[in-house]
């Protein structure tokens, strides 16, 4: 007899409802939940990989300790005690700033890891805190903090009501949407076109999304800020600025006009590769649209002017009256409102309160840029990082300067990884503490319910009970936090006791409280009884809480309650862009530009050990335009050497006219050929790591975010 459990796939932002059929403890099938009001029966190939993940013999189940004789299993309490002792020792000897933590992407897909991860960073003092944020969406968070007064007040496209969507540097047909939790993104985008709307994709590569859209604009990598400023310039030139309802709440329109007019479509044409006519036409279409929306993601977040792009996306939506209006770029009203909770605790975000030791790159909301992690380990002196915690992250493959990270990690006094794989990063650890995996724990999307294109809420209880000898992420993170606080003594002892109390309460209780205090609490919203965990449990397919609703000016948290259109930090950085435009307009650079890509059967660096994810043709190839291949005498399948100042890799070439000439692409997350890992499937076809090529010096100077798209490379035939 099999039973069917309703759950949510936690692998990407899309929050697909799934039906997991289980018989005698084994997964028989994973199918889409057609009754999930949000995902409406959509899933992608990754959902099925949840079965492989559960059954993967390489997945660690018990703590490992490095010994002279190799890895040894140890018992949980002993492992946690010893790890806390070692971390405390380093802190005592070298100070709080000698111990750091890197938190990776899967953290945000687990509400308990988000919560208890906070406890751990607090317990550690957290001055050396790093995460995937600075390899990802940081520019959007900085813009939210600067313009709306809270780092998590992140607007998302109101896809279901939009009739003109200008999309830059995103490929939702493959990524399934990012800072745009959309369930079935493809269906919603096709519906936009079906109702007569237009969808434009700005991308150096003709991606699946570009193919499906009305128009593809093959921009030169890294030039989006100039393109966006030119659009702003046209709006001013042609008297098309229409701030609408929010006009009374915005400052800085004149300063904005003055800088934008310096970037006419004609001036930026040689650097963007987009004709001035096209820019003018798009500006007019956008301003004429009933419900227009400008949206950008990874391709514009992680490039030399990512910070400016984050700002200008908001600016364009504001200037066309599309911010916070149905069909435009809107704010979610999630059942657990992190913006309100954060604001009540005085945590809205921060920027530049302190800087990294070597390059003086700025802190953002308590974190230093991930590209400074390696320098903090290498650079001797006061504050040198000597011990590291990694949790749900694989920076050796995910952050630029992979080989340097390898070397620096090997030289640490102590390292512990909270992770269930012995992989490129965790192989350097002294202890690996493996948590339970998806489906073995309760699921509520704390983060992605807040980025969804409709207001929704869903709770999925664990499909499988946690084995007695396993621990959840929150038990490990909280257990370490509690021990560290206790060892620090003094006032930390009280914090430790408080945390212990919270741990005894269990995360479910915290979630229930947050729901009961949230925007749909008793007497608010459509449900008279109010939102609670019980309410969610009564609706196992999820609850639809309606379309997005305007939230401004009420939600504004800026010091003066207004929206700055032209904050000083952005105006200053425009000068850097100005110089770049002048320099690049001269042309002349012969080198190729390298960008990344994602595949439907990939999930950053960590799912290549699952058969269903790696079957078929090898996907770690260098995509290249036929002209660029021809001039280098390369044909599909041949090996090419790709090199930067940082390193070189040899990789098979795949020729396709989907690439813009002069631009080549490699996917990230490969390179499973380092010694000492335990990834038997991934090691069969390891591929190469894009981040072995990228240089830590290649950053957006404003934000410190890594340039993952837009590095100069050379390519030649191997041999
Ligand atoms: N060149 C280049 N680099 C990139 C990108 C790019 O586009 N180009 N993309 C960037 C982006 S957007 C991101 S988000 C980062 C991702 O980078 P990271 O967050 O550093 O790494 P992931 O590849 O997501 O690896 C996740 C790790 O967590 C482990 N893990 C999986 N599930 C769990 C869990 O539930 N609990 C715990 N404790 N561990 C778990 C996995 O085994 C793996 O070791 O990569 C960034 N790096
Ligand atoms: N299948 C799959 N899905 C995923 C992931 C995965 O690894 N695999 N990762 C998840 C994560 S962590 C994230 S953050 C999201 C990311 O989600 P998206 O941002 O939607 O996905 P990407 O594929 O990174 O899209 C970036 C696009 O930017 C383009 N690009 C590169 N440089 C430039 C540029 O200079 N200008 C412009 N305009 N475009 C440029 C690239 O060609 C690419 O098509 O995806 C998530 N979903
Ligand atoms: S789209 Fe994302 S959430 Fe949906 S099944 Fe695929 S990985 Fe899971
Ligand atoms: Mo990401």
């Amino acid at each position: 007899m099999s039973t069917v459990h309703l759950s949510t796939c936690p692998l990407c932002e899309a929050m697909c409802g799934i039906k997991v059929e289980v018989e005698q403890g084994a997964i028989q099938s994973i199918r889409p939940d057609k009754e999930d009001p949000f995902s409406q029966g959509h899933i992608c190939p990754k959902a099925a990989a949840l079965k492989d993940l559960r059954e993967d013999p390489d997945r660690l189940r018990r703590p490992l300790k490095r010994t002279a004789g190799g890895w040894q299993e140890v018992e949980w309490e002993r492992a946690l005690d010893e790890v806390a002792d070692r971390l405390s020792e380093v802190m005592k000897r070298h100070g709080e700033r000698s111990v750091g933590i890197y938190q990776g992407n899967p953290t945000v897909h687990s509400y308990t890891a988000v919560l208890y991860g906070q406890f751990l960073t607090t317990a550690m003092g957290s001055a050396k805190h790093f995460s995937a944020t600075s390899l990802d969406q940081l520019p959007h968070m900085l813009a939210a903090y600067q313009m709306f007064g809270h780092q998590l007040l992140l607007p998302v496209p109101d896809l279901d009501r939009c009739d003109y969507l200008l999309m830059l540097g995103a490929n939702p047909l493959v990524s399934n949407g990012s800072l745009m939790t959309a369930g079935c993104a493809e269906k919603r985008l096709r519906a936009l076109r079906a109702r007569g709307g237009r969808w434009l994709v700005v991308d150096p590569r003709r991606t699946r999304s570009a193919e499906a859209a009305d128009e593809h604009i093959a921009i030169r990598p890294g030039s989006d800020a100039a393109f966006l400023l030119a659009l702003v310039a046209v709006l001013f030139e042609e008297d098309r600025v229409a701030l609408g309802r929010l006009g009374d709440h915005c400052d800085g329109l004149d300063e904005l006009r003055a800088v934008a007019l310096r970037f006419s479509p004609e001036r930026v044409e040689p650097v963007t590769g987009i004709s001035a006519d096209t820019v003018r036409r798009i500006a007019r279409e956008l301003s004429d649209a009933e419900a227009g929306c400008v949206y950008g993601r990874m391709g514009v977040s992680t490039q030399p002017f990512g910070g400016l792009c984050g700002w200008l996306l908001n600016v364009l939506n504001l200037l066309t009256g599309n911010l916070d209006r149905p069909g435009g770029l809107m704010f979610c009203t999630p059942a657990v409102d992190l913006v309100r909770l954060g604001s009540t605790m005085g945590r809205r975000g921060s920027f530049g309160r302190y800087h990294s030791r070597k390059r003086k790159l700025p802190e953002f909301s308590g974190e230093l840029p991930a590209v400074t992690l390696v320098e903090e380990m290498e650079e001797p002196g006061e504050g040198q990082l000597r011990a590291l915690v990694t949790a749900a992250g694989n920076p050796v493959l995910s952050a630029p300067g992979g080989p340097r990270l390898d070397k620096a990690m090997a030289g640490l006094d102590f390292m512990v990884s909270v992770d269930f794989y012995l992989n490129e990063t965790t192989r350097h650890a002294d202890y690996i503490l493996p948590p339970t995996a998806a489906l073995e724990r309760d699921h509520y999307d704390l983060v992605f319910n807040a980025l969804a294109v409709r207001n929704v809420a869903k709770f999925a209880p664990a499909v499988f009970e946690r084995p007695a000898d396993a621990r959840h992420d929150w038990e490990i993170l909280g257990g370490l936090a509690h021990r560290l606080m206790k060892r620090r003594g003094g006032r930390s002892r009280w914090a430790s006791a408080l945390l212990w109390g919270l741990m005894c309460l269990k995360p479910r209780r915290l979630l229930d409280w947050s729901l009961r205090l949230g925007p749909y609490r008793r007497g608010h919203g459509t449900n008279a009884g109010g939102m609670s965990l019980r309410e969610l449990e009564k609706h196992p397919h999820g609850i639809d809480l309606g379309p997005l609703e305007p939230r401004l000016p009420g939600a504004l948290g800026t010091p003066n309650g207004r929206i700055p259109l032209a904050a000083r930090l952005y105006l200053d950085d425009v000068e850097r862009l100005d110089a770049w435009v002048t320099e690049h307009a001269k042309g002349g650079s012969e080198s190729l530009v390298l960008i990344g890509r994602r595949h439907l059967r990939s999930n950053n660096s960590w799912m290549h050990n699952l058969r269903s994810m790696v079957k078929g043709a090898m996907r770690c190839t260098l995509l290249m335009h036929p002209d660029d291949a021809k001039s280098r005498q390369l044909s599909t399948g041949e090996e090419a050497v790709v090199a930067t100042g940082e390193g070189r890799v040899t990789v098979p070439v795949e020729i396709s006219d989907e690439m813009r000439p002069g631009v080549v692409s490699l996917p990230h997350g490969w390179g499973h050929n380092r010694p000492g890992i335990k990834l038997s499937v991934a090691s069969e076809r390891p591929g190469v790591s894009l981040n072995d090529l990228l240089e830590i010096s290649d950053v957006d100077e404003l934000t410190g975010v890594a340039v993952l798209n837009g590095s100069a490379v050379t390519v030649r035939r191997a041999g």
Side-chain angles (χ1 to χ4, degrees), residues 9 11-12 14-16 42-44 46-47 176:
C9 172
L11 293 174
C12 87
M15 306 197 299
C16 293
H42 177 267
I43 56 169
C44 83
K46 277 187 289 199
N176 294 300

Side-chain angles (χ1 to χ4, degrees), residues 98 165 214 435 454 503 603 666:
S98 63
L165 177 62
D214 291 278
R454 269 185 86 85
M503 300 267 301
N603 199 13
L666 255 186

Side-chain angles (χ1 to χ4, degrees), residues 90-99 127-128 355-358 360 368 375-386:
V90 178
M91 266 192 228
K92 247 182 223 144
R93 196 163 337 127
H94 302 288
E96 200 176 70
R97 292 198 306 149
S98 63
V99 181
K128 294 278 170 67
H355 293 81
S356 67
R357 280 186 312 140
K358 180 133 190 241
K360 312 289 175 230
L368 287 173
E375 286 174 342
E376 293 293 332
M377 293 190 273
E378 289 170 350
E379 186 72 3
E382 165 76 28
Q384 180 179 13
L385 204 60
R386 294 165 191 272

Side-chain angles (χ1 to χ4, degrees), residues 11-13 44 46 105 109 136-137 167-172 174-178 202-205 207 219-224 295 297-300 303 595-605 668 709-710:
L11 293 174
C12 87
E13 300 189 21
C44 83
K46 277 187 289 199
N105 169 279
H109 294 272
D136 194 346
Q137 79 289 354
M167 176 180 283
L168 298 94
N171 187 10
V174 167
S175 70
N176 294 300
S178 184
V202 180
D203 196 307
R205 173 172 164 237
T207 58
I219 194 168
R220 282 221 172 93
S223 66
D224 300 78
Y295 158 82
R297 247 334 245 125
M298 275 301 278
V300 295
Q303 54 136 297
I595 62 170
R597 71 175 186 270
R598 289 177 153 77
H599 189 277
L600 208 49
R601 288 179 192 274
S602 73
N603 199 13
N604 297 320
S605 76
H668 74 285
N709 291 288

